[in-house]
Amino acid sequence: MVAIKSLAAIAALSLINSAQAWYHDLPSCLAPFDPFVYTGCYDNGQPGQKEALSLRTDLDQQNMTVEGCVAHCKGNDYRLAGLSYYGVCYCGQTVSTALLPEDQCSFPCSGNSSETCGGDTQINIWMDPTFPPLQDQVSLTEYVPVGCWSDDSSEGKALYYRQDSLTADTMTTEACLQSCLAGGFPFAGTEYGSECYCGVVVGNGTDLAEAATCNMPCNGNSDQICGGPARLSLYVAKDLQSLEPCGTPPDTSSTITTPPVTSTTPPPTSTTSSAPVCTTTTVTPGTCEYKVGKWCSNPIPDWHNKKGCLVSWSQCLLQSTSCFLKAGFPEALQCFQYAEWCGKLDLYCLTACANGECAGKSAFVQKSPPKGSSPPVTHTSTYPCPTTITTTTKATTTTTTKTASPTSSCPVPTPTGICTQPTNKKYGYGPGHPVGGIELPIVTCNNIKHDWDAGNVFKMYSDKDSRKCPSYPRPKCPGACVDACKAQFQQCETVYSEGCKAGRFTEDYKNADAACKAQYSDCLVVNKDVKGTGHCTTWTDGWHIGMSTCPRN
């Protein structure tokens, strides 16, 4: 079996009935090839945690050698090969864990006791030097579309690695490609409008299909196509593939480098043709700070004084409406807890930051941790250092931290809207006490500059991504409040009334439903003549003194 290795191979497949055979493990490379370069000892995770490399092979652990594992990963088109616990062989495109001191990898290999095969929870890793350096692959333009492909073979998926960390409701082509690029995968594909897959080869029985059968819009961008039922919109990045795949004659002047059985210092990399190995660890903060059902909040910005803290509180509060609208029932009932979390932040700003300067976000989060947040993601890349002549050098390590998406600056409006919460003594609602505790969505100054410049000075903050929120010119203020009343009514009915029906609140369903309807009717009346006078008269009017971050395009 031969793995797909180039755009030429993709083109050739359009002329035959099926792609090349696919298993979780393809055969080892039996032809001579350039030796892999040893990169170091890495953490392989505690039981149940994420391991350093993505593919754990099915090779015999009782007779394992470095050469056997490396040949297997070469035959499967992987950049990296790793050995742990006397002989468990792994393959992967990037390392997802930290570099460790060399003496933590000390177990001899089961098939050759003079070689080292990791430790109990440690792994030795080697790299194929024939791959282009990962740090050069920084653009989504590396990927080019290669058509619509079938994904209904009984022998497995077209691409093996499903990207479950991506949100199905917001799936786009760019999101999928970025995830595959970060993992170093040359193949990427979207399917069924909401799924993303990555891989190093294309699977068995995967045929080039009619373009019209890839007909499902991406959930996060209806202008894009994300495959279809059992159909994959396929992309390939040739520069993420080996320049010398299995079968290419090797450079005979090189020899494979292996670590000693035991060592207290990092082993040298000694070859006559390979560059020294560099390691870059990138930590990307999680993008979901507070998760409720189908909804995730955008991270609030950090702060070091009272003004900055209030900016974060405003951004927190402005997202609360989107929680009730997007989380889904019954999970949306937990949005009250999110609102309470924002309230704790407000109290923190007014107390801990009362004298101006104060501890930042980490101190607040440690005291009041958000629920369901996604952890930071660590990627460790190994690559030849930018030098051409060397005899013996030690491995070097650099660590960088990416700024969490979103990235561009946006002003944060104060959470004081132009629409009025109605009052009704019969049902007991009024300002600060809406029916079911569900506040009226905030209509205030538009924080998207180009939209503001177009005359839409107001915005109803009903989505965590303010670009998706409706905006209004000043003459349409009454219409903005009508939309806010409707959104509040929708939340009142789907969360509070349904919660009463399910016994989640003490009020009975009939009274709750009547209260929601009465509040909506009163809301329309009290806001019918709203003008927005004195609000948002200039671009800088209505902002906190401070900037937050806008969602990434």
Side-chain angles (χ1 to χ4, degrees), residues 267-290:
T269 299
S270 298
T271 69
T272 57
S273 63
S274 297
V277 175
C278 289
T279 303
T280 300
T281 300
T282 302
V283 180
T284 304
T287 56
C288 178
E289 186 161 71
Y290 199 116

Side-chain angles (χ1 to χ4, degrees), residues 183-241:
F185 292 103
F187 291 96
T190 53
E191 186 171 341
Y192 209 70
S194 60
E195 299 171 1
C196 173
Y197 296 87
C198 309
V200 292
V201 293
V202 175
N204 186 41
T206 300
D207 306 330
L208 187 63
E210 291 290 335
T213 59
C214 283
N215 54 16
M216 295 189 69
C218 301
N219 283 355
N221 185 344
S222 60
D223 293 332
Q224 298 176 342
I225 294 297
C226 282
R231 291 294 183 268
L232 193 75
S233 295
L234 186 64
Y235 301 81
V236 66
K238 187 176 181 181
D239 288 344
L240 290 176
Q241 298 175 298

Side-chain angles (χ1 to χ4, degrees), residues 109-122:
C109 295
S110 58
N112 185 344
S113 61
S114 67
E115 297 177 334
T116 305
C117 282
D120 191 23
T121 58
Q122 298 80 29

Side-chain angles (χ1 to χ4, degrees), residues 67-194:
E67 294 80 8
C69 181
V70 164
H72 191 77
C73 295
K74 180 71 175 182
N76 280 266
D77 286 344
Y78 283 95
R79 181 188 296 263
L80 302 171
L83 282 160
S84 181
Y85 199 72
Y86 301 103
V88 181
C89 176
Y90 293 81
C91 306
Q93 294 298 91
T94 58
V95 187
S96 60
T97 55
L99 184 67
L100 300 176
E102 192 61 36
D103 59 2
Q104 293 195 31
C105 287
S106 59
F107 288 9
C109 295
S110 58
N112 185 344
S113 61
S114 67
E115 297 177 334
T116 305
C117 282
D120 191 23
T121 58
Q122 298 80 29
I123 184 171
N124 293 109
I125 293 180
W126 290 260
M127 177 192 67
D128 186 345
T130 69
F131 278 79
L134 262 181
Q135 76 275 20
D136 292 344
Q137 320 307 327
V138 296
S139 172
L140 297 186
T141 58
E142 300 290 341
Y143 290 93
V144 294
V146 290
C148 180
W149 292 72
S150 65
D151 195 16
D152 52 5
S153 171
S154 61
E155 297 185 49
K157 297 292 291 182
L159 299 179
Y160 184 51
Y161 296 98
R162 180 166 176 166
Q163 303 301 291
D164 289 326
S165 61
L166 299 180
T167 303
D169 290 345
T170 58
M171 181 63 66
T172 63
T173 299
E174 292 82 5
C176 182
L177 297 184
Q178 184 62 56
S179 186
C180 295
L181 178 64
F185 292 103
F187 291 96
T190 53
E191 186 171 341
Y192 209 70
S194 60

